[in-house]
Amino acid sequence: SAVISQKPSRDICQRGTSLTIQCQVDSQVTMMFWYRQQPGQSLTLIATANQGSEATYESGFVIDKFPISRPNLTFSTLTVSNMSPEDSSIYLCSVEQPRTLKGLGTGIVYTFGSGTRLTVV
Amino acid sequence: AQKITQTQPGMFVQEKEAVTLDCTYDTSDQSYGLFWYKQPSSGEMIFLIYQGSYDEQNATEGRYSLNFQKARKSANLVISASQLGDSAMYFCAMREGIQGAQKLVFGQGTRLTINP
């Protein structure tokens, strides 16, 4: 399965600043997904990033707050801009990839990066 | 409306016992996929098992099996012979549709604690 390197693994940031999170995949993938997981909550999709086009944002998320870059098929960044304590969350990137599933042949599953634990003070 | 419902916020199980984590889903699509992920305290998301809506047999992966009841729209995860390392958050998720930008929708999760 694909290996995703996500950096930084954690950070503590001052309010009003911005943090850029990077995800590097060891194989080419068409779509990359960015999720937010607020403390004690489930994962919520922020946006879907295709190479060569603007990211598609989910309801409640805007490009000015969460700009995304996707310069090639193996790399993407998510920036959390003008941070406030409410942005304290785990941010995860994810990719689709084919995988051999027992008894089912090949299916599409989602692999995640190790996450970025962000604390805004 | 909630698309994925996990009704058990927390579960406590003795080591070596089997445990069932509940998941119900809501969709009008004929084609969809159901996933279970494990999230240890480190925060990473670990894929456990997948069930497609057209799969007639229940999926199995090692100690994990998925009890898929399509008419009831449920996809419960069964962990056999639980181990201390199984203590984690478990998320059920659904992917809808077969074309376009498919995405995962997650349930609220169940925190599983295995007691020695």
Side-chain angles (χ1 to χ4, degrees):
Chain A
S1 59
V3 175
I4 305 176
S5 174
Q6 183 172 344
K7 296 189 294 186
S9 58
R10 60 177 63 232
D11 207 341
I12 301 173
C13 299
Q14 296 290 324
R15 68 178 66 201
T17 63
S18 298
L19 175 71
T20 295
I21 302 166
Q22 300 179 1
C23 271
Q24 177 76 52
V25 190
D26 68 348
S27 58
Q28 294 184 338
V29 294
T30 304
M31 285 190 286
M32 294 182 74
F33 305 87
W34 287 97
Y35 287 86
R36 181 178 72 181
Q37 186 179 22
Q38 294 177 300
Q41 302 296 314
S42 185
L43 280 73
T44 301
L45 182 65
I46 297 171
T48 303
N50 284 339
Q51 190 265 337
S53 63
E54 282 203 4
T56 302
Y57 288 82
E58 297 297 307
S59 175
F61 297 96
V62 296
I63 188 170
D64 290 346
K65 176 66 176 177
F66 297 102
I68 288 172
S69 78
R70 184 79 203 276
N72 56 54
L73 291 173
T74 63
F75 186 78
S76 180
T77 67
L78 169 76
T79 299
V80 186
S81 303
N82 189 24
M83 289 183 286
S84 67
E86 291 71 35
D87 294 319
S88 297
S89 297
I90 298 174
Y91 293 85
L92 299 110
C93 61
S94 174
V95 301
E96 291 182 325
Q97 59 169 158
R99 180 164 170 164
T100 301
L101 301 171
K102 181 180 175 182
L104 302 177
T106 300
I108 300 295
V109 300
Y110 296 82
T111 300
F112 286 81
S114 53
T116 297
R117 194 179 296 265
L118 171 63
T119 302
V120 184
V121 297
Chain B
Q2 192 83 315
K3 292 216 168 191
I4 297 287
T5 303
Q6 295 180 251
T7 58
Q8 306 152 310
M11 289 276 287
F12 295 84
V13 174
Q14 287 298 120
E15 189 179 9
K16 300 181 183 176
E17 289 184 351
V19 56
T20 297
L21 305 183
D22 295 340
C23 173
T24 58
Y25 59 92
D26 181 26
T27 182
S28 56
D29 282 359
Q30 295 301 308
S31 176
Y32 52 89
L34 297 158
F35 300 77
W36 277 92
Y37 284 86
K38 172 184 178 181
Q39 187 179 43
S41 57
S42 59
E44 62 187 310
M45 294 289 285
I46 302 169
F47 167 75
L48 296 179
I49 198 166
Y50 167 81
Q51 181 85 42
S53 57
Y54 295 119
D55 297 330
E56 295 185 351
Q57 290 189 323
N58 286 342
T60 62
E61 292 280 351
R63 292 188 299 114
Y64 305 108
S65 61
L66 200 151
N67 183 1
F68 182 46
Q69 298 187 39
K70 193 170 182 177
R72 296 180 58 190
K73 293 188 175 179
S74 75
N76 298 339
L77 176 70
V78 180
I79 306 174
S80 63
S82 58
Q83 303 171 356
L84 295 178
D86 293 333
S87 294
M89 281 292 290
Y90 288 80
F91 291 97
C92 180
M94 178 173 65
R95 177 185 64 211
E96 291 182 291
I98 57 174
Q99 293 183 351
Q102 300 173 32
K103 58 187 181 185
L104 285 183
V105 176
F106 286 85
Q108 288 304 303
T110 295
R111 181 171 297 281
L112 176 63
T113 302
I114 307 298
N115 296 315

